Every structure is written in structure tokens, then in C-alpha cells.
Amino acid sequence: MKFYRSIYPMNRIYQTLALISCITIISCNQVPPPKAVGPVPSVRQLAWHDMQYYAFVHFNMNTFTDMEWGTGGERPEQFDPSNLDTRQWARIAKAAGMKGIILTAKHHDGFCLWPTKTTEHSVKNSPWKDGKGDVVKDLMDACREYDLKLGLYLSPWDRNNEHYGTAKYVEIFHEQLGELLTNYGELFEVWFDGANGGHGYYGGANETRKIDNKTYYEWDKTTQMIRKLQPNAVIFSDGGPDIRWVGTEEGWANETNWSIMRRDEIYPGWPRYVELRSGHEDGTHWLPAEVNTSIRPGWYYHQREDHQVKSVPRLVRTFYESIGRNGNFLLNLPVDARGLVHEADSAHLMGLKGQIDLDFEHELAKGNEVESSESRGGIYTAEKAIDGLPSTYWATSDTVTTASITVSFKEPMEINRLLVQEYIPLGQRINSFALSALIDGQWKHIDQQTTIGYKRILKFETIKAEKIKVDILDSKGPITIANLELYRAPKLLVEPDVSRNREGLVSLHVPDPTVDLYYTIDGSEPSITSKLYTGPFIGNAPLTVKAIAVNPDNGAQTISVSKDFDIVKKNWNVMGLNVEDELESLKMMDGNPNTYWATGKDEVTIDLGKNYNLVGLSYWPIQERYPFGIITQYEFLTSSDGQKWKLASKGEFGNVVNNRIEQKVNFTPVTGRYIKLKAISKHGDDPRISFGELGVLTKN
Ligand code: FUL
């Protein structure tokens, strides 16, 4: 009894507490959420936003014909991968942190990667798996195994089909779409390319056919089919209806990027594609941007681009300029003729993953004190912005469109990234915001930007802040912030690039200028006791530069890179040119193989300025996306007086077209002041010969 009595009052307390909390919950819930502002995303669009990063795979007939746009006149027998393994694609995509794969089921040349009933131009007539294969099905199975979503690219333009341009082809196109929508499980995205009409094989007609992209394909019908057969799939095209192209294939969105557009003006077909980069602030439809780019210069695999896979720093930049600017990142992997993602591509992908994982390893805002200048109360308090849950959010009162949110740290905190997300189920509202920090008791302005949307990431120099404040300066309605995260990313540590210009100035370069660089020029291995790089230095004589990059924060360092330079080209002069051409010709002697010079003659003669003991030559082929005039067989002559010539070397630059790296040839030493490189044969139909860079070797 005593016991009963003693707990009785406790029971009363619990009851009262329960009542209070009930009232609180009820009253909290009575604070209504803000109303939507402008267009809002559909459920399928919301799911797509969460995809963030996924792979494009361009693999089809072009992989075997070494083309980007096949004519349509190819034969199914040409499709013959030696070792096609879609599980390898999926394994790599998964390991890279991607959430899905979109495959070119049919590209403009019309070849179908699945055994369609609609045409003979498909895998069923190829030697691959004796015509019994189905690449789309294989990829569907691989995606299931690796828990990835599948999307399909179906080119409306078909340069193979004889009926292209007539109503019959549109029926065929719809039938192909129907097959893809029905037989391959759930799709997350259907991708319609914008390129349309023009010259093609068209069943042997070899002519130009033009169609009206707005009306010809009966887009209403394709949309209805997709909605019916794949209700969760978003539809991509230049202008929607669900997802838009970002208006460039270089891999970036504008800093200002609205997920809304005046869609009825732009869909279908849209000539003013530059506006796709930012969207429309007064958009009428939710139409977010997908940033598609390739990991190589081309969409399809070309062996000649094996050394041009985008570097990890370049990919990291693309990540920040797509996902960090309110876009999804669709990164293309050109699968090669074996049917595999190339080793170089996979290595760079993992490099990107490694760096992004490091950049976002420790979130620093959560668990700290947070306050806002205003909140609508209820469940919409500032805490909700840093609770790590995207479904809860801080929101202001209906009339408040300017407000700030401040995170205070117990100890000053090093920070260099802000990640912020609006609660987009209620629309995208913010069109101006600023970031400031309390450093040593003083408020300091860090950055001011425009839109946020689903996700915005700001990068800035590392600061040590007592507080961080985000000021929303302008919003189209009450503010909603679902997420505010802070990070301290480590420095981007990659090996330095070493170059020397025509004047003999040696430069070291890394993407992060706050990293320290150390170098040697005596052949020894560099370390942190070697010379610290403070700017370009003179390296006139032949020399070897070795360099490392070191993170001053933690002493981490890269492996060393080593670069040999021979004599300086300052006094070199291409003979027999007018002044204008002379200036242009410097591009073959500027130390930069990415600039080129081309000449209509089949040889080039250079005065080196004085006699040298020559032991070899070096030739960088042109690095342009569409190369021409690469010398494949050569003769190299030397002379002391420019009159009498001696043949120093002749031969072939083997595989130089496919693998456009520097060609170095040694020969029996000879003294000479004049050199002549003759093209005995060259690549391509262009009458010119081209040079990325030409050099001589004076030491072995
Ligand atoms: C472009 C196409 O023409 C390219 O070949 C590639 O498929 C790219 C993704 O879209 O418009």
C-alpha cells in the first residue's frame, strides 16, 4: 500500500506530462506547413532527384566502326564484342557510387542491342552469341544483381530504317519503345536524344531526310505509353517532359539553376538551348537538369582516346559543377570493343569516388547549437535543418522571405564546404543567399550565390569558424531548408604537371594551389627537404625535373613525377614561312602538345639557331578531338648549313593514330643546326600534316 501511495503521485506526474506532450504535439501539428510555391516535382521526379549520380553507357555499332555517329549503312555482322560482360559494367558503376545505368539500346545508326521484332538490324543477326544474345536483358540482370536501376536510350532518329521520315517509321519507333518498356523490368528513365533528321543510309537510299521534331514522333503517344507501362520512369529529352538536358555536354550547370521552366514554350524541341543551363525563374513546370558528359572526349570508345580519359581533378570539378549546382550527374563510360569498361576509365572513376568520399566524410553541423532569425514554429524549427533527415525542414512564416540560420560550434571548427538543400516537395524558392562566418569574434563574408534547389554545394578556402551563418536574402515564398551540412574536405592531392615553355621557363601545376610542391633538377628523388616551388623557374639546359605534391596539413604526399626536357626551343625558326605563319608555327614549339600547327607541305624545316649534337627526335601528334594530318611514316634529315642534308632516321610511328602519345626515336649521333621532318605517309584525307609538338634529343 505504501508502495502504491508512493507511486500514485508519480503516476499523476506521468499523466500530466503525457497530457502536456500530447497538447504540444497537437499544437505543433497545428502549425501548418508552408504552401507550395510555383510548380512542384512529381513523385517520379522526386525519386529521380535522389538518384544524383549514375552511368551512361554508349556501346553499340559505333564501338566497332570507330565512329560517333554511324551512317546506318553498317552490317549487323560488324557487331562482335569478344568478351561482353555487363556484370563488369555494373560492378564498376556500383563501386563508383553510382545508382543506375542508362544504355544506348539504339543510337542514331539504328542498330538495336535487343532482338527486336521491328527490324533485321539488330543483335539477332550479329555473330555475338550466334545471334541469340540480348544486351539489354544482360544489363537488366546485372543491374538487379548489383542493385542498380536501369534506364534506356532510344534514338528517335534512325539512319538505317528505310521508312524513316514516313508514318510507318513512327509506328516502328513506337513498337520498339513498347518492347523496351515491356520486356526489361522496371526502368527509372527513358532517354530520347535531340539529334534528328539529316543524311543517312535509310535502307540504301543514302539521302537527306528532314522531319519536324515537334510533331513527327507523336510525343503525346510516347509519353502515354511510358506512363502506362513504366509509371515510375522519368522521360528525358532536350526539353522534358520530366527531365531536361542541361544545354551543354561539357559537364556543368550554371550556378543559377532553377528546376523549373516555361515548359510549354520549350517542349518538344528547343532551339534556345542555352537557357536550359539555368532554367527559368518563372517556370511553369518542374523540369530539373541532368548534366550528361563523357569520361572521354567521345561518347563511344576510340582507342586513340585511351590517354585522354578525364583526370580525377577534372571529374571532381564536374561533380561539384553538376551535383553541387542542383543537377544530376550522368557520366558516360564508353564501353570498348571487348565489351568492357576500359581499365583507365575505371581507375579514374575510383579516383573520383575516393576523393568525394574524403570530401564528405565527416559532417560537422549536426549536434551543434542552431538558431534561426525566424521560424514558423511547430515542427519547422532550425534544428530540422541539421538533423540529417531530408524529410524534416526549417520553415519561416508565410510572410517571411528573408531570414538567417546560424550554427554555433563549441570549439572553432575548420570548414571549407557548405551543402544546402531546399525542401523541394514544396517547390524551389530561394534566389539569393549568402554565407558568413564568425572568425576570431568578427563576422566575415564568405560567399554569396543565387539558387539552391535540391542541392547546392559551395567550396571555399578553409576557415576556422566559431559560427556559420547562412542568410537567405531573397525567396519567392517562405523559406524551407531541409538540410544544411558542413564539411572540412582535405586538399585535393594529385601529382603535379610539369611543363616548360619556349623561353625555357619551367612550371609546376596542381589543381589545388594551397598544396605544396617540391622539386629537384639533379635527378634525385624529391622530398620535403627539396626545393619548394614558388613559381616558374628558368630551366634552359637539358634537364630532368622531378616533383611531388605535399598536403601541408598532414604531410601526405604523392608519388614523384619525372619529366625530361631537352634543349630550349627559344631560337628555333621554321624556315620558308611568312610572318603570320611563323607566329602560328610556334605552336609546335611551345612546350604544349595541346596546341598544334598544320602545314599544306609534306615536310617542315627548322633552324635550331646553332649546331647541336643530335641523337634523336620527338614528335607529339595533334591532340584535337578530330585529329588530322598525323605523320605515320617519316624521314628525318639534318644539316649543318641548310644545303647538304643527311638522313638521320626513317621509319614508322607505330599505332600513333590510335594512341596519340609522344613518339621518341633515337639515331646515330650527328651534328646539325637544321632539321627536316618529311611525312612519307600520313593519316586521313586532309592534305595537311600536323604537329602537336616537335623536338630533338641531344642526350640519350
Ligand atoms: C548527343 C548524341 O548525338 C550523341 O551521339 C550522344 O548520344 C549524346 C549523349 O547525345 O546528342
Side-chain angles (χ1 to χ4, degrees), residues 422-444:
E422 285 184 76
Y423 185 72
I424 59 163
L426 294 176
Q428 184 181 353
R429 307 144 183 261
I430 293 166
N431 48 26
S432 177
F433 71 107
L435 170 69
S436 43
L438 189 69
I439 301 168
D440 295 331
Q442 302 270 324
W443 280 104
K444 198 173 161 228

Side-chain angles (χ1 to χ4, degrees), residues 46 95 98 111 146 244 253 259 268 361 374 505 602:
L46 276 175
M98 294 168 152
F111 188 77
Y146 286 90
R244 73 175 203 262
S259 286
E361 193 172 4
E374 209 273 348
L505 268 185
D602 58 3

Side-chain angles (χ1 to χ4, degrees), residues 430-576:
I430 293 166
N431 48 26
S432 177
F433 71 107
L435 170 69
S436 43
L438 189 69
I439 301 168
D440 295 331
Q442 302 270 324
W443 280 104
K444 198 173 161 228
H445 171 81
I446 307 293
D447 198 0
Q448 181 169 336
Q449 290 290 337
T450 51
T451 53
I452 295 179
Y454 176 78
K455 188 177 282 179
R456 187 72 200 270
I457 305 173
L458 302 188
K459 284 169 81 174
F460 44 94
E461 285 290 302
T462 307
I463 50 169
K464 198 159 186 177
E466 288 119 52
K467 292 173 192 252
I468 284 285
K469 179 154 64 109
V470 175
D471 279 293
I472 309 299
L473 304 171
D474 193 10
S475 171
K476 296 201 278 178
I479 296 156
T480 68
I481 297 290
N483 211 12
L484 187 157
E485 297 176 4
L486 298 166
Y487 295 91
R488 198 281 186 227
K491 294 186 190 303
L492 179 55
L493 201 61
V494 286
E495 294 119 58
D497 252 355
V498 185
S499 62
R500 188 181 69 177
N501 71 9
R502 207 172 118 78
E503 269 65 48
L505 268 185
V506 178
S507 306
L508 307 188
H509 177 79
V510 279
D512 184 338
T514 62
V515 156
D516 290 336
L517 306 177
Y518 296 90
Y519 68 96
T520 63
I521 54 169
D522 61 2
S524 64
E525 273 309 301
S527 71
I528 49 167
T529 57
S530 306
K531 211 159 175 129
L532 178 70
Y533 178 74
T534 51
F537 57 91
I538 296 283
N540 267 332
L543 81 166
T544 298
V545 180
K546 294 191 173 192
I548 52 169
V550 177
N551 181 346
D553 300 337
N554 56 14
Q557 62 184 61
T558 63
I559 55 163
S560 75
V561 283
S562 174
K563 188 105 183 237
D564 293 324
F565 297 104
D566 212 288
I567 54 172
V568 166
K569 300 174 186 171
K570 189 173 173 185
N571 299 319
W572 291 22
N573 186 19
V574 177
M575 299 181 69

Side-chain angles (χ1 to χ4, degrees), residues 56 58 68-69 107-108 153 191 193-195 249 292 299:
F56 220 172
H58 273 66
E68 281 289 304
W69 278 14
H107 203 249
H108 312 327
Y153 172 124
W191 221 91
D193 193 87
E249 292 181 349
N292 67 317
W299 290 101

Side-chain angles (χ1 to χ4, degrees), residues 296 303-309 620 623 658-661:
R296 290 169 177 244
Q303 196 192 352
R304 62 176 181 275
E305 292 175 353
D306 278 354
H307 69 301
Q308 289 180 319
V309 179
W620 265 104
Q623 297 296 305
N658 283 331
N659 193 12
R660 289 178 291 150
I661 57 172

